[in-house]
Amino acid sequence: MADLRALLIVLTMISSASGRFVVEKNGVRVIRPEHIRGRHEGAIANFGVPHYGGTMVGTVMYPEKNSTACDAFGGTPFKSRTRRPVILLVDRGDCYFALKAWNAQRAGAAAVLVADNVDEPLLTMEDPEDAQASEYIEKINVPSVLINREFGETLKMALTEGTDRVIVKLDWRESMPHPDERVEYEFWTNSNDECGPRCDEQMSFVKNFKGHAQLLEKGGFTQFTPLYITWRCPEAFKLSKRCKSQCINRGRYCAPDPEHDFSEGYEGKDVVIENLRQLCVHRIGNATGRPWVWWDFVTDYHARCSMKNKSSLIVLIDKAFSQMAQLDVPGLPLDKIDKCMGDPEAGVSNDVLKIEQELQLGHGSRGDITILPTLVINNVQYRGKLERSAVLKAICAGFKESTEPPVCLSGDIETNECLRSNGGCWQHPKLNITACKDTFRGRLCVCPIVNNVPYQGDGYTSCEAVGPGRCTMGNGGCWTETREQTYSACLDSELTGCRCPKGFQGDGYKCEDIDECKEKLACNCPECHCKNKWGGYDCNCKGDLLYVKEEDACIVRNRLRFGWNLAILELSCVAGAGLAGYIFYKYRLRSYMDSEIMAIMSQYMPLDNHANEIESSQQHSTAL
Ligand SMILES: *[C@@H]1O[C@H](CO)[C@@H](O)[C@H](O)[C@H]1NC(C)=O
Ligand SMILES: *[C@@H]1O[C@H](CO)[C@@H](O)[C@H](O)[C@H]1NC(C)=O
Ligand SMILES: *[C@@H]1O[C@H](CO)[C@@H](O)[C@H](O)[C@H]1NC(C)=O
Ligand SMILES: CC(=O)N[C@H]1CO[C@H](CO)[C@@H](O)[C@@H]1O
């Protein structure tokens, strides 16, 4: 990105002489092999997309040839056998850092580790200011991390030993502070839009991010502040032509001439004035409870009068501004904005710009602002490309967990990592079911729950439906086949696993018909004739014999008929005996009852004729 220190034309920066620059870091933890386990640090590159708030576990690979990754590898030679993402380790040197990342990404890497080639503290890998490079820089989507030489050597050593895979976990969860439910962020920018690819990138970011920024601001989720860098004219040059053309308020607030040519087009002081105007729009908007008008104003301003149009004049800008203010940002009090801007020719300091210059100096963990544009989120400088979804991801990572606004959980900032080789995650071979989950914290490989049926597994190489209903989900991953009949290796009565049904053999994921005849499992008798069929067998007996499956033998049909007769005879005997028993029982019961009743009756009356008395007593009791 534009190094402001290099752009100086007599102007001096407000920052301290050393230009305290903070190297933003992420964790790199070695998980395997055992003997080099441990936590290290890496410096986040200022290109690509760091997975702020997330982690990535991957297999480390190191190119055998061209280990500096300065030449395209050709094809995608780096594929992990385990489907885990590949983290490509490359050496520093010979070409731009960004080119290494680009070559690695094209070769199939999901992240890049650049090993330093000298012993020194970690530094931030910048993208080059190079028209050719800008073509691929914007296409870099993988995160890049610089690690120190010693750690690089350790990894390479472990790789050459080759006994175990080298697995590391890149961790950006602590790279972005996330203390509470509001994110404060600042955008250090410049109204100058004539600095080549950098300015184009900046402008397209503002345009593309506007929607999200306003949504977050209106919902009270964020507090956004645009900030503008200004320079100071050294005392000795205050009256020089250079300072007069680049500064306002008598050398107090300056900006380098956009074309580096004082006789042509825009002058530095035009840039400062436009910066001031944009600042005042934010200040006044903020004071009236609508800080988001800044986004409208800046995009409108850019659409209507680009500094690229050399024939535009300040007058035109002013005109466009008033039009804009009336049409698109209704109610923005112009007089207040004029008052805020003050008189650029005055020999006194401007309240707004004075504060800006003070803020330019680093405070706390943030460090000085020395590159433009710079985004500062929760007082930490953002690293990575200035692109809508990458930035939104970083902002979302700045919320205390589970307080993220809905926009962070929407598909809008999905990393789309699942679109590329399914993010290295498990995928159902037939159904549209995947373990890849896109989130703003990066893609996760987690076994899904589909139609209330949970899948279990490592998410990378395997997921299996478990529990009731699992057989409805692609037959629980088990074998099934239909010919004349359907057979399945998924049993609803079991919560996991597959088992080949009777008549088949295999592991349950693949089942094959058992040839019962050949294996001599059935139909073994000398008179038997065996014929295998899918899922079973047919067995016939020679001549008039009949096959009895239970006994696996052939028997004479007559014997069977005789058997039947015997059975019928037996049955009728049993039935006859039963009937006789019943009659006998009935008779006994009746006589017993009669004698009982008579015994009771005789206690109340003298009985002459037993039979008659019973009859009358029965009538009597009926009448009662
Ligand atoms: C914007 O307004 C809020 C409160 O309304 C205030 O805390 C904040 O400092 C203001 N920002 C600027 C840049 O003036
Ligand atoms: C540049 O500004 C002039 C004057 O307003 C205008 O006529 C012209 O269309 C502009 N050109 C571009 C490319 O915007
Ligand atoms: C697969 O499922 C996802 C969501 O569940 C859906 O968006 C996508 O269109 C499906 N793809 C196919 C090929 O059915
Ligand atoms: C810079 C460099 O070493 N390039 C080499 C990359 O690998 C190919 C062969 O695979 C060589 O031909 C290049 O010289």
Side-chain angles (χ1 to χ4, degrees):
M1 301 217 166
D3 189 328
L4 301 179
R5 283 164 296 189
L7 281 178
L8 291 191
I9 313 171
V10 289
L11 305 177
T12 53
M13 281 216 50
I14 304 304
S15 57
S16 47
S18 61
R20 202 170 62 87
F21 182 84
V22 174
V23 176
E24 302 298 344
K25 294 173 186 154
N26 66 296
V28 184
R29 182 183 286 280
V30 180
I31 295 172
R32 252 162 62 180
E34 196 73 38
H35 70 278
I36 59 163
R37 274 180 89 131
R39 197 190 133 86
H40 299 260
E41 274 188 332
I44 309 173
N46 208 15
F47 50 81
V49 182
H51 295 198
Y52 276 108
T55 59
M56 179 195 281
V57 177
T59 309
V60 178
M61 290 193 174
Y62 180 66
E64 281 168 22
K65 280 187 212 149
N66 290 334
S67 67
T68 52
C70 290
D71 291 308
F73 288 104
T76 51
F78 305 109
K79 280 224 179 81
S80 162
R81 265 167 289 143
T82 56
R83 297 177 77 178
R84 273 210 185 85
V86 170
I87 299 177
L88 196 64
L89 176 66
V90 302
D91 289 315
R92 184 181 177 184
D94 295 342
C95 61
Y96 293 135
F97 290 123
L99 182 59
K100 295 172 195 287
W102 174 233
N103 285 333
Q105 175 178 322
R106 281 192 296 168
V112 187
L113 287 180
V114 180
D116 205 343
N117 52 9
V118 286
D119 289 307
E120 62 179 345
L122 291 175
L123 50 88
T124 299
M125 298 187 284
E126 284 288 344
D127 49 355
E129 281 232 64
D130 183 321
Q132 247 186 327
S134 68
E135 280 171 26
Y136 60 76
I137 285 170
E138 64 185 45
K139 293 188 206 146
I140 301 174
N141 296 318
V142 299
S144 300
V145 179
L146 182 86
I147 56 173
N148 66 31
R149 201 185 66 85
E150 198 191 341
F151 179 36
E153 291 304 317
T154 308
L155 289 177
K156 283 180 227 170
M157 189 86 82
L159 283 163
T160 49
E161 283 163 10
T163 47
D164 200 357
R165 276 194 298 273
V166 178
I167 295 173
V168 300
K169 179 180 190 175
L170 303 179
D171 191 340
W172 293 267
R173 284 175 301 184
E174 298 312 317
S175 301
M176 178 61 65
H178 44 98
D180 51 30
E181 51 280 345
R182 195 182 73 169
V183 169
E184 293 82 31
Y185 69 111
E186 300 166 353
F187 186 41
W188 289 84
T189 180
N190 195 337
S191 64
N192 175 24
D193 56 12
E194 237 204 12
C195 65
R198 280 297 145 267
C199 288
D200 295 344
E201 182 194 21
Q202 175 177 318
M203 211 47 235
S204 73
F205 165 69
V206 171
K207 267 188 224 159
N208 291 329
F209 197 63
K210 182 180 139 181
H212 286 322
Q214 294 189 326
L215 211 65
L216 289 166
E217 201 79 357
K218 286 175 187 175
F221 299 112
T222 55
Q223 186 181 56
F224 168 73
T225 314
L227 295 163
Y228 296 81
I229 287 183
T230 52
W231 287 256
R232 211 188 261 282
C233 179
E235 208 55 42
F237 297 93
K238 265 196 172 150
L239 299 173
S240 71
K241 193 177 161 235
R242 287 181 160 191
C243 276
K244 278 189 170 164
S245 98
Q246 296 186 99
C247 309
I248 63 167
N249 294 60
R250 305 240 174 109
R252 281 180 178 81
Y253 314 107
C254 315
D257 187 283
E259 306 92 3
H260 300 216
D261 182 341
F262 301 124
S263 57
E264 213 186 292
Y266 263 76
E267 294 179 338
K269 81 176 183 195
D270 299 333
V271 175
V272 184
I273 289 174
E274 284 324 302
N275 286 351
L276 180 56
R277 197 191 305 276
Q278 295 184 357
L279 259 174
C280 284
V281 166
H282 182 257
R283 289 297 144 87
I284 304 299
N286 193 38
T288 56
R290 291 175 305 149
W292 52 85
V293 294
W294 179 88
W295 295 91
D296 289 316
F297 178 74
V298 172
T299 46
D300 278 17
Y301 166 82
H302 184 76
R304 284 167 200 250
C305 56
S306 162
M307 285 197 183
K308 280 178 188 155
N309 188 345
K310 300 237 162 88
S311 64
S312 300
L313 298 167
I314 296 258
V315 185
L316 186 73
I317 297 169
D318 276 337
K319 200 172 143 219
F321 173 71
S322 2
Q323 267 179 2
M324 210 178 317
Q326 283 158 7
L327 294 174
D328 302 309
V329 196
L332 205 63
L334 277 184
D335 53 331
K336 278 195 181 167
I337 287 171
D338 280 345
K339 189 159 166 272
C340 167
M341 288 178 70
D343 177 9
E345 302 300 328
V348 293
S349 61
N350 176 296
D351 289 343
V352 176
L353 291 174
K354 200 172 115 193
I355 296 170
E356 293 295 285
Q357 287 194 338
E358 282 162 11
L359 288 173
Q360 223 161 300
L361 288 171
H363 47 87
S365 57
R366 192 202 70 195
D368 289 351
I369 302 298
T370 55
I371 44 178
L372 262 194
T374 292
L375 203 60
V376 177
I377 305 171
N378 282 351
N379 217 26
V380 160
Q381 291 192 23
Y382 165 80
R383 296 280 177 259
K385 70 173 165 184
L386 201 59
E387 184 267 332
R388 190 186 61 141
S389 59
V391 168
L392 187 58
K393 193 192 279 188
I395 289 177
C396 287
F399 290 99
K400 191 177 174 182
E401 262 151 52
S402 81
T403 66
E404 300 96 352
V407 64
C408 292
L409 306 172
S410 73
D412 202 61
I413 50 162
E414 280 178 359
T415 44
N416 285 341
E417 284 167 36
C418 291
L419 299 183
R420 203 159 52 89
S421 0
N422 198 43
C425 305
W426 172 87
Q427 201 170 12
H428 197 284
K430 292 191 201 97
L431 304 178
N432 182 17
I433 299 174
T434 168
C436 196
K437 208 169 139 194
D438 256 326
T439 73
F440 75 93
R441 294 191 195 275
R443 78 95 183 72
L444 299 172
C445 292
V446 282
C447 295
I449 297 175
V450 187
N451 298 343
N452 291 329
V453 178
Y455 279 73
Q456 277 176 10
D458 66 5
Y460 289 95
T461 55
S462 72
C463 287
E464 212 173 87
V466 294
R470 70 190 183 102
C471 294
T472 61
M473 302 305 304
N475 204 46
C478 303
W479 170 90
T480 180
E481 201 175 327
T482 304
R483 290 192 190 168
E484 303 92 46
Q485 204 181 338
T486 299
Y487 285 102
S488 161
C490 191
L491 294 175
D492 269 319
S493 56
E494 285 171 24
L495 295 185
T496 58
C498 307
R499 208 171 52 191
C500 292
K502 200 160 173 281
F504 291 88
Q505 61 186 356
D507 58 5
Y509 300 95
K510 203 161 184 252
C511 297
E512 273 168 8
D513 175 49
I514 297 173
D515 190 339
E516 287 87 353
C517 304
K518 216 163 153 192
E519 307 266 321
K520 301 231 181 291
L521 295 176
C523 201
N524 260 333
C525 57
E527 305 88 0
C528 291
H529 171 71
C530 189
K531 188 161 171 279
N532 185 51
K533 67 175 192 185
W534 191 68
Y537 62 93
D538 279 333
C539 194
N540 293 308
C541 295
K542 283 179 193 138
D544 204 25
L545 300 178
L546 195 80
Y547 181 66
V548 176
K549 200 168 182 174
E550 291 71 38
E551 290 169 38
D552 192 30
C554 291
I555 53 166
V556 183
R557 272 172 206 274
N558 292 346
R559 214 178 94 199
L560 190 87
R561 206 169 293 140
F562 171 71
W564 269 110
N565 290 344
L566 200 71
I568 289 164
L569 193 69
E570 256 173 35
L571 204 69
S572 39
C573 283
V574 169
L579 192 67
Y582 178 72
I583 291 163
F584 177 69
Y585 167 76
K586 273 297 235 188
Y587 170 77
R588 280 295 303 268
L589 185 73
R590 196 190 159 94
S591 55
Y592 170 76
M593 289 270 286
D594 285 355
S595 59
E596 275 295 289
I597 290 166
M598 274 188 282
I600 295 165
M601 291 269 175
S602 63
Q603 289 176 8
Y604 298 93
M605 59 188 81
L607 297 173
D608 296 328
N609 188 323
H610 288 183
N612 284 350
E613 281 306 321
I614 290 164
E615 220 134 17
S616 67
S617 116
Q618 272 173 348
Q619 278 163 359
H620 180 70
S621 78
T622 310
L624 269 174

